[in-house]
Amino acid sequence: VSPQVSELVQFLLVKDQKKIPIKRTEMMKKVIQEYKNHKDVYSDIVNRAGRTLQEVFGLQLVEMDTKQHTYILVNNLPHAEGNYLCRDKEKEKMGLLLVILSFIFMKGNLVKDSALWEFLNLLRVYPGKQHRVFGDVRKLVMDEFVRQKYLEATQIPLTDPPEFKFQWGPRAEKETSRKDVLNFVAKVRPFWGHLWV
Amino acid sequence: ENREAMLNSKSNKLTEALEHANKLFGKVCRAQEAALDARFLVLASNIGKEKANELHSEMSAFDSTAFAEDLLTFMGINRTEVEETDDSEDVPGGFLPSDAWQTVGGEALKYFRRAPTFHYMMGSFKSEPPVPKQRIERQKKASRGKAERAMPAQLKKMEESHQEATEKEVERILRILQTHFENDPNTPISFFDFVIDPNSFAHTVENMFHVSFLIRDGLAKIKLDEDELPIIEPTKPSGRGEEESRAGARNQVVISLDQKEWK
């Protein structure tokens, strides 16, 4: 495995820490650092890096946005039973995220921010109030989740103060599915699970 | 305005507003008014879209309140105990344990194909070695390093602006001369002692070059002493008048010095 490939693999793994999609220009800059490589060599290195990621780490390098050429790392291993090695902070955020994604899905894939917050209030999560676990929740939802592409927020035009609509972001589409989310909802509400298709 | 009223699925207010706008548009004769009409259309269509959405959700039979209650149950809420919060607001419904979101989170992880975040097991490795190395090197080579750093910096300065550097040097030499004289007035310094650098011939030449500026500008003067050796002393900061009278007494001296003599 050439050093360039290893460097790119390490670069991608570190870049993925914050879960912000990686731009192709950044990857190219990293690879073409020392030599004036041709584009073909670049794509060869990227392919080999992808293969290494898959074979060594079980991760898939996925092009999330074909227009903007951004990439994310997705876990390609089958779901294993048992506890996942994950920091508590991350776990809690994923919990909140899944709840939000479920809500959006069950409400027809597009919700107004006011509706979302109304729902989260029922779970003792308030946008204006510092949360014991999540801190500034509004920032977490509007800023972090959106930047990571788990959620997509579009501003409703001509609203003042600005109002937003939320839908699933492209990362959510890649990392989970509506079927998975439905399973989650059914698990939480076993009694009512059979009521809708 | 009246957004809520229009959203009400039972009201026809949106239709009424559209019809009204239509009538008004017939009277429009200026671009501004047309722009307003366009704005209104955007607003109206947004409201229309929302109304349609509301229709849809009413038919989907998804009760978000019940879902929320079930989530709380899943998180391990204790409904018999009342939660005590810092602010005196009433939190009905029971006590939510501190690991509530971890419970959901643990379950949530199963539904995401999320790449585990990459962390070095033994902590971050890259940034540490360079730092102690630099510190050790700095301690050992403190004086040497400074001199090295000073010289390239000086060289850089000279490249940037020859004129400025020369001026600075001239000033510096003047200051040295003046300081020397302050400490020991009435004892002019031997010119050669002043300019010669025992370590560098080039530097000696430079010094002479800078001193010549001082002489030219009348800031210092060279005289011959009893032994016919040149001595140098700073001119006293006298008034302008005196300087002009001294200007006539300028002489030109050519000093030749080559490396052999220097040694």
Side-chain angles (χ1 to χ4, degrees):
Chain A
V1 182
S2 86
Q4 277 180 301
V5 176
S6 324
E7 262 189 56
L8 183 60
V9 168
Q10 190 168 49
F11 173 73
L12 290 170
L13 284 169
V14 172
K15 261 291 185 166
D16 183 63
Q17 278 175 347
K18 295 255 156 62
K19 294 294 171 192
I20 295 179
I22 309 158
K23 301 194 199 119
R24 186 168 72 179
T25 46
E26 289 176 307
M27 286 164 65
M28 288 183 83
K29 221 165 80 164
K30 178 73 190 163
V31 171
I32 300 178
Q33 240 173 12
E34 280 140 31
Y35 329 70
K36 297 277 188 277
N37 287 339
H38 297 291
K39 223 178 173 195
D40 327 302
V41 183
Y42 160 77
S43 49
D44 176 53
I45 293 179
V46 170
N47 288 337
R48 283 160 66 190
R51 237 178 302 148
T52 307
L53 284 166
Q54 174 63 65
E55 286 164 18
V56 177
F57 297 97
L59 300 174
Q60 197 184 2
L61 182 64
V62 173
E63 186 169 16
M64 194 185 66
D65 186 333
T66 45
K67 272 184 247 160
Q68 301 204 341
H69 301 294
T70 50
Y71 295 81
I72 55 168
L73 290 181
V74 169
N75 198 335
N76 227 11
L77 296 172
H79 281 303
E81 283 305 321
N83 286 330
Y84 281 78
L85 210 68
C86 184
R87 295 175 172 197
D88 287 345
K89 259 266 152 298
E90 254 182 68
K91 228 194 269 188
E92 290 161 335
K93 285 186 189 173
M94 296 309 284
L96 179 65
L97 178 66
L98 185 58
V99 164
I100 294 174
L101 290 176
S102 318
F103 179 72
I104 296 175
F105 172 46
M106 300 310 293
K107 280 296 196 184
N109 296 315
L110 194 64
V111 296
K112 266 176 74 176
D113 54 356
S114 50
L116 177 63
W117 290 118
E118 219 178 274
F119 173 69
L120 290 177
N121 287 349
L122 297 171
L123 300 172
R124 325 262 174 103
V125 174
Y126 308 92
K129 199 169 137 193
Q130 195 77 359
H131 192 266
R132 192 166 45 163
V133 170
F134 300 113
D136 186 347
V137 194
R138 171 175 262 127
K139 188 161 171 239
L140 174 61
V141 172
M142 296 286 308
D143 198 30
E144 197 173 311
F145 285 159
V146 172
R147 279 213 304 161
Q148 294 172 337
K149 302 291 184 178
Y150 276 119
L151 292 176
E152 208 166 280
T154 25
Q155 192 174 348
I156 303 174
L158 300 177
T159 48
D160 184 37
E163 291 169 36
F164 295 87
K165 293 214 160 188
F166 284 107
Q167 53 189 328
W168 281 33
R171 189 190 277 271
E173 304 277 2
K174 295 276 184 214
E175 286 191 14
T176 188
S177 68
R178 276 150 175 85
K179 179 162 164 244
D180 285 321
V181 168
L182 201 53
N183 284 334
F184 169 68
V185 175
K187 187 152 186 185
V188 170
R189 313 190 62 192
F191 194 66
W192 304 104
H194 67 280
L195 268 189
W196 57 81
V197 182
Chain B
E1 306 152 18
N2 304 327
R3 219 192 158 96
E4 290 309 309
M6 293 207 191
L7 277 174
N8 189 337
S9 55
K10 299 198 181 111
S11 87
N12 271 334
K13 274 226 164 101
L14 186 57
T15 327
E16 287 168 28
L18 276 164
E19 284 172 0
H20 187 65
N22 232 9
K23 276 194 215 142
L24 284 173
F25 195 68
K27 299 188 197 153
V28 155
C29 40
R30 278 195 234 112
Q32 244 185 355
E33 291 161 0
L36 273 174
D37 184 81
R39 231 179 103 105
F40 167 73
L41 273 178
V42 172
L43 276 166
S45 61
N46 274 335
I47 296 180
K49 195 164 105 168
E50 273 188 58
K51 279 189 87 162
N53 260 354
E54 305 254 320
L55 260 163
H56 173 255
S57 62
E58 275 174 30
M59 295 195 301
S60 70
F62 177 67
D63 187 347
S64 41
T65 319
F67 181 49
E69 286 296 319
D70 288 335
L71 274 170
L72 289 170
T73 314
F74 188 84
M75 291 198 253
I77 194 170
N78 186 338
R79 290 196 165 88
T80 56
E81 247 179 84
V82 179
E83 179 164 348
E84 282 182 40
T85 49
D86 295 338
D87 28 7
S88 55
E89 69 174 52
D90 239 308
V91 186
F95 178 72
L96 200 62
S98 51
D99 68 346
W101 284 102
Q102 283 207 29
T103 315
V104 192
E107 180 67 23
L109 286 177
K110 301 181 193 168
Y111 301 90
F112 283 98
R113 288 169 53 198
R114 183 174 154 108
T117 40
F118 179 71
H119 295 286
Y120 291 105
M121 276 172 76
M122 303 306 254
S124 184
F125 187 68
K126 276 187 204 173
S127 53
E128 278 184 38
V131 176
K133 262 193 198 169
Q134 276 177 24
R135 284 201 211 118
I136 296 169
E137 279 180 32
R138 246 181 263 154
Q139 282 168 16
K140 286 182 188 171
K141 300 180 187 178
S143 47
R144 223 208 298 172
K146 274 188 196 156
E148 279 175 46
R149 263 181 268 141
M151 274 191 45
Q154 274 184 15
L155 272 166
K156 254 196 203 165
K157 275 193 195 152
M158 294 218 62
E159 279 168 39
E160 278 166 40
S161 55
H162 284 273
Q163 270 194 356
E164 270 180 46
T166 314
E167 277 172 36
K168 276 192 184 157
E169 274 304 296
V170 170
E171 263 179 70
R172 193 175 68 92
I173 289 190
L174 177 63
R175 251 176 274 134
I176 295 174
L177 188 59
Q178 285 174 335
T179 326
H180 211 275
F181 239 71
E182 271 173 46
N183 298 336
D184 215 350
N186 304 321
T187 333
I189 310 163
S190 149
F191 176 70
F192 289 117
D193 278 340
F194 188 63
V195 295
I196 291 181
D197 179 344
N199 295 325
S200 158
F201 178 63
H203 201 221
T204 307
V205 175
E206 248 181 66
N207 288 339
M208 288 176 65
F209 174 65
H210 291 133
V211 167
S212 67
F213 275 95
L214 287 175
I215 311 282
R216 182 198 71 171
D217 293 333
L219 294 164
K221 51 188 181 178
I222 297 187
K223 303 189 283 204
L224 290 176
D225 70 357
E226 299 104 17
D227 303 314
E228 305 252 347
L229 287 171
I231 48 175
I232 181 168
E233 62 180 4
T235 52
K236 296 186 201 131
S238 43
R240 289 248 155 215
E242 276 200 56
E243 263 183 58
E244 274 169 8
S245 68
R246 282 217 188 114
R250 278 187 189 173
N251 298 307
Q252 280 203 2
V253 180
V254 178
I255 300 182
S256 75
L257 185 71
D258 65 11
Q259 268 193 310
K260 259 208 305 195
E261 275 191 46
W262 171 66
K263 282 221 176 112

